[in-house]
Amino acid sequence: MGYESVHLLSTLGLKMMSNSFKTTLKIGFISLLYSHYSVLHAETLSYYQAEQKIISESFTTQASQALEQASQLQAEAIKGLGLPVINFNVRAISYHAKVDVPLGSVKNNLDHSLVDKVNGQIDQWQSNNGGILSPQDADILKQGAAQGIKDGIGLIPNSYDLTLKDESIRPSVSFVMPLYTGGLTTSAKELAKLQAQKSKISSKQQQDLQKLEIIQAYFSAQLQKQLYASSQFNSQAMQKHYNNALKLEKQGFISKGQRMQFEVARNDALRILQTTETVYKTSLFRLNNLLQSNQIHELTTPLFINSSQNQDLNTLLTTFEGNSNLIRQLQTDTQLANVNIKAQYAAKKPTVFAFGEYSLENKENWIVGVGATYNLFSGIDKNKNIQAAELQKRASELLTARTKQEIETIIYASFNEVSSSLKSHQLLEGNIKAAQENLRIQELSFKEDMASATQVIDAQNALTIIHSEMALNAYKYIISLATLLQNSGSIDQFQTYINQPNTHYIK
């Protein structure tokens, strides 16, 4: 029925009802429309879509991409390390200084210089005029001149307070170029490059972990859906048994106690149904939350189990090291530690650099040169820094070796769990046929008073348990397979297992 028809019928009905009932019907009608709207906008989701969604849109993916881009930019930023550093400098200067200038030596030099000059002039005048003055008069003249000079110079103070002031703006261009750094420049570039590589590997490792996470969340929801469906089936079956028991009790074929056994079994089935429904809704909410959605209500990829084991254990144990992003990440840590050792050794060596500065003032002053520095003491024990760097490298190597051991154990255990799940599925397929036949026999026997109510209830529960065990076994297989693939570095192949020939789907 369309919206227009529903609206027309509800309008005609409302005119014939009381106000209170009208209000009740309005609320119910709105609820109906809302439910219909929710169904129309509910999303179906396959596992492949879920995987693509979490890899492209999750917060973890966005964070990993940002860190990867940051590391790449940092590596590119220092590519020019070792080239000249050129600066444009502007110095605005204003200064005021008082200087005490001593004049004693200047006065003495001036006195001797003037006296010698005057005596020389007197002697030359005497010579040019044929000795017009007697030697005694000439000496008296010299002494008088010398005394006059001395008295005049004596008027000059022995010191003078000088005040210096200036304000100026001095632009210049300077450069510093490292000629030899002992390997620090090379180490810095190598460290940045390795950090960018590590960030890229870490991003891939995060994608692998997200795929494992979405596998767990998606198929956990499918498992809970199957358990909920089994509980529904069991609850309906128990209700049917209870209804039959009521009829048999009224006809006098069974006692009240037998009928109450079915009632207790039905109530237990209802209780389990409520529990499984809550768990299913919680698992579905977790999946929606993980995918940043609230509209996913139908999952289209069922639980599955393949008919055979396609992996070879020895091959997995010998090849995982080259495929595992986690191992590659740890190996990069070891490379970083090795470069750090080189950098610590380089810190002990001298550095040589060229420098220069050119003034942009009118005078155009400039300076160029070569300098060298060698640290004699800084308060840091560089030898201990080297030892620490070597220990860090050793620790990284040991951690990598230990991680390899753990991965080997996980691969071995996951492989055996996959194989065990395959065998269990074959046994469960046989058991479910036997359980169905047993239930049929017990129902007939009970009607003929040859079996008790307990036997029928047990047979019904046994069938439900086997259905649940098949779903649990398939989920165990999926998680074990995903764990095996993730640790062997081939989680990308998981999708291919869903659509393999002779795959059994649990629906």
Side-chain angles (χ1 to χ4, degrees):
M1 183 180 294
Y3 287 130
E4 295 178 357
S5 300
V6 172
H7 180 69
L8 178 60
L9 290 174
S10 62
T11 303
L12 293 173
L14 284 172
K15 292 180 180 178
M16 302 171 63
M17 300 176 185
S18 65
N19 291 334
S20 60
F21 192 68
K22 288 179 182 180
T23 303
T24 303
L25 187 58
K26 284 180 180 179
I27 294 173
F29 180 65
I30 292 172
S31 299
L32 177 63
L33 289 180
Y34 178 78
S35 300
H36 186 59
Y37 177 84
S38 299
V39 170
L40 287 176
H41 288 80
E43 294 181 12
T44 60
L45 187 76
S46 68
Y47 166 74
Y48 177 77
Q49 291 172 323
E51 179 184 288
Q52 295 301 310
K53 188 176 180 63
I54 195 172
I55 289 177
S56 61
E57 300 178 10
S58 73
F59 297 131
T60 303
T61 295
Q62 295 178 50
S64 297
Q65 290 175 346
L67 290 173
E68 182 180 349
Q69 292 175 4
S71 297
Q72 186 63 39
L73 290 173
Q74 288 173 342
E76 294 175 358
I78 65 170
K79 282 184 177 181
L81 197 63
L83 298 176
V85 178
I86 301 175
N87 296 315
F88 173 72
N89 312 303
V90 177
R91 298 181 181 91
I93 300 173
S94 176
Y95 64 88
H96 179 278
K98 290 184 178 182
V99 181
D100 185 11
V101 181
L103 301 177
S105 60
V106 176
K107 289 168 63 177
N108 290 333
N109 291 334
L110 183 59
D111 185 8
H112 294 310
S113 178
L114 291 175
V115 169
D116 291 341
K117 187 70 174 178
V118 170
N119 289 341
Q121 291 292 330
I122 292 174
D123 290 339
Q124 185 177 0
W125 180 76
Q126 181 78 342
S127 174
N128 291 338
N129 292 281
I132 189 172
L133 296 175
S134 63
Q136 293 81 5
D137 293 336
D139 291 337
I140 292 171
L141 182 59
K142 290 179 181 180
Q143 291 174 0
Q147 185 62 42
I149 291 171
K150 185 175 183 180
D151 293 341
I153 292 177
L155 297 174
I156 301 173
N158 291 327
S159 64
Y160 181 75
D161 292 333
L162 180 64
T163 299
L164 302 177
K165 295 182 179 180
D166 192 12
E167 291 183 357
S168 63
I169 296 177
R170 299 176 182 176
S172 66
V173 176
S174 64
F175 80 92
V176 176
M177 179 177 179
L179 301 177
Y180 175 75
T181 61
L184 278 174
T185 301
T186 304
S187 297
K189 290 182 178 180
E190 192 172 354
L191 280 171
K193 183 178 179 180
L194 286 173
Q195 286 287 5
Q197 292 178 1
K198 179 183 175 181
S199 182
K200 187 174 183 179
I201 296 172
S202 178
S203 182
K204 293 180 179 178
Q205 172 67 5
Q206 284 296 329
Q207 285 189 4
D208 291 349
L209 293 175
Q210 285 187 96
K211 288 178 181 178
L212 181 60
E213 184 180 15
I214 196 62
I215 289 171
Q216 293 171 337
Y218 187 94
F219 289 103
S220 175
Q222 285 289 55
L223 170 64
Q224 299 306 326
K225 180 182 178 181
Q226 288 298 318
L227 295 179
Y228 176 52
S230 295
S231 298
Q232 284 181 313
F233 174 78
N234 190 54
S235 176
Q236 292 169 358
M238 288 300 181
Q239 183 65 48
K240 185 183 74 171
H241 291 320
Y242 175 69
N243 293 338
N244 291 334
L246 282 174
K247 294 177 182 178
L248 292 174
E249 181 189 11
K250 290 179 179 180
Q251 295 171 1
F253 290 106
I254 63 173
S255 65
K256 180 179 179 181
Q258 289 177 308
R259 188 266 300 167
M260 292 184 68
Q261 284 181 298
F262 283 106
E263 184 176 355
V264 171
R266 182 204 63 180
N267 293 340
D268 286 340
L270 289 174
R271 179 178 54 81
I272 295 173
L273 177 63
Q274 293 174 355
T275 301
T276 55
E277 181 182 14
T278 300
V279 175
Y280 170 55
K281 289 180 178 178
T282 301
S283 64
L284 197 59
F285 176 83
R286 176 175 176 245
L287 179 63
N288 273 275
N289 195 32
L290 187 63
L291 297 176
Q292 304 175 47
S293 175
N294 58 4
Q295 298 293 334
I296 300 171
H297 296 289
E298 185 65 30
L299 308 181
T300 59
T301 304
L303 293 169
F304 68 93
I305 188 167
N306 301 118
S307 58
S308 61
Q309 171 65 280
N310 297 328
Q311 302 279 5
D312 179 71
L313 180 59
N314 291 328
T315 301
L316 292 173
L317 291 173
T318 54
T319 60
F320 80 90
E321 184 177 340
N323 299 327
S324 172
N325 287 316
L326 177 58
I327 297 300
R328 292 169 58 199
Q329 186 175 345
L330 292 173
Q331 290 172 341
T332 305
D333 286 336
T334 303
Q335 294 176 337
L336 285 168
N338 193 47
V339 175
N340 186 38
I341 293 174
K342 296 179 182 178
Q344 296 303 328
Y345 274 107
K348 296 181 63 177
K349 298 177 181 179
T351 59
V352 180
F353 57 91
F355 65 92
E357 184 169 359
Y358 179 80
S359 175
L360 301 178
E361 295 180 295
N362 294 332
K363 296 181 180 180
E364 298 183 352
N365 297 324
W366 57 270
I367 183 174
V368 294
V370 176
T373 61
Y374 182 77
N375 180 255
L376 298 176
F377 179 76
S378 65
I380 298 175
D381 192 329
K382 296 178 181 178
N383 291 325
K384 289 185 178 179
N385 270 345
I386 293 174
Q387 293 175 5
E390 290 174 341
L391 288 172
Q392 288 172 348
K393 177 186 176 183
R394 177 60 177 160
S396 180
E397 291 173 341
L398 293 172
L399 179 60
T400 303
R402 175 57 183 153
T403 304
K404 289 179 183 178
Q405 288 180 328
E406 293 177 351
I407 292 177
E408 287 173 345
T409 301
I410 293 172
I411 289 175
Y412 184 85
S414 299
F415 182 88
N416 288 331
E417 288 173 357
V418 167
S419 300
S420 175
S421 297
L422 292 175
K423 296 175 182 177
S424 296
H425 181 74
Q426 295 173 357
L427 295 173
L428 287 169
E429 282 187 320
N431 287 348
I432 200 168
K433 295 179 181 178
Q436 289 170 340
E437 180 63 18
N438 180 51
L439 176 60
R440 187 185 69 81
I441 293 172
Q442 295 302 329
E443 287 175 338
L444 291 174
S445 298
F446 180 76
K447 290 178 180 179
E448 297 175 1
D449 200 21
M450 298 178 62
S452 66
T454 302
Q455 289 174 306
V456 176
I457 293 170
D458 288 344
Q460 181 63 58
N461 286 334
L463 179 60
T464 302
I465 289 172
I466 292 175
H467 278 295
S468 298
E469 285 182 346
M470 289 192 72
L472 286 166
N473 186 66
Y475 178 72
K476 176 186 174 183
Y477 170 80
I478 290 170
I479 298 303
S480 299
L481 176 63
T483 303
L484 180 66
L485 295 174
Q486 198 271 334
N487 283 275
S488 62
S490 53
I491 190 69
D492 292 339
Q493 299 177 9
F494 179 81
Q495 179 66 31
T496 63
Y497 286 80
I498 299 176
N499 301 316
Q500 282 188 0
N502 300 322
T503 299
H504 301 278
Y505 298 102
I506 312 300
K507 299 180 180 179

